[in-house]
Structure formats: structure tokens, C-alpha cells
Amino acid sequence: LDQFASELELAVTAKFDGHWYPQQPSKGSAYRCIVINGKLHPLLEQAAKKVGVSSQIIAKHFPNKLYLWIDPNEVSYRINDQRAIKTLYSAPNTNG
């Protein structure tokens, strides 16, 4: 699991290079969205392949429909289309 997480972090970091705007966090948000809609996102497949794990095994641990937005200072997700967006991570406010 740690190896998979490390490979996924490397893949996400490489993909988002040039698409990360800390001063405008919502800019590029659609590009930084990882979508699972019946099949794994290519970044998840890539990380699984690098650590020698079947993508089917990884897919078993995710819902069939997931949207994951990775933005500066916040990571949020939505499962299925009708559910509310939930915040998974929010950076502490350093302004006050």
C-alpha cells in the first residue's frame, strides 16, 4: 500500500506540474480531477502497474463512480452524481 501511494503521488505530481496555481486554487481544477466512472483513472492504473498489483484489485477498493478534486489547499470528492461534495483535506487557514 505504501509503495502504491508513493507511485500515485509521483504520477499525480508529474501530471499536475504546470497546472498548479496556489494563488488561484480553482484554476485548473477540472484538469486535476481524478474520475472513476466504471473504470480506474489512468493514474491509478499506472501506479498499480508500477508496483505489480492488478488494477482489478485496486478497483475493488473504490466506488464505481468517484470524482476526486486535488486543488491547492483542499482535496474534495463526490461519490455518484447526486451526492454532495465532501472535503477530504483542507489546509489550515494561515491568515488569522
Side-chain angles (χ1 to χ4, degrees):
L1 184 58
D2 288 339
Q3 288 177 330
F4 175 77
S6 293
E7 288 298 334
L8 184 57
E9 181 180 354
L10 289 172
V12 165
T13 300
K15 179 173 174 58
F16 295 174
D17 186 40
H19 297 273
W20 195 257
Y21 311 97
Q23 302 305 325
Q24 299 173 299
S26 62
K27 181 178 180 181
S29 184
Y31 182 82
R32 294 186 308 271
C33 184
I34 293 176
V35 178
I36 297 173
N37 191 2
K39 76 178 240 183
L40 279 183
H41 188 278
L43 290 177
L44 294 165
E45 288 182 349
Q46 177 184 339
K49 184 177 181 179
K50 285 205 173 185
V51 298
V53 175
S54 162
S55 59
Q56 288 82 13
I57 291 172
I58 299 297
K60 284 179 16 180
H61 298 284
F62 287 95
N64 286 332
K65 194 174 247 187
L66 171 72
Y67 304 87
L68 178 70
W69 292 275
I70 303 171
D71 297 321
N73 302 317
E74 186 172 279
V75 176
S76 54
Y77 70 96
R78 181 173 65 198
I79 297 173
N80 296 323
D81 289 327
Q82 288 83 18
R83 301 215 176 153
I85 295 172
K86 306 253 182 176
T87 300
L88 189 62
Y89 169 82
S90 184
N93 185 351
T94 58
N95 294 332

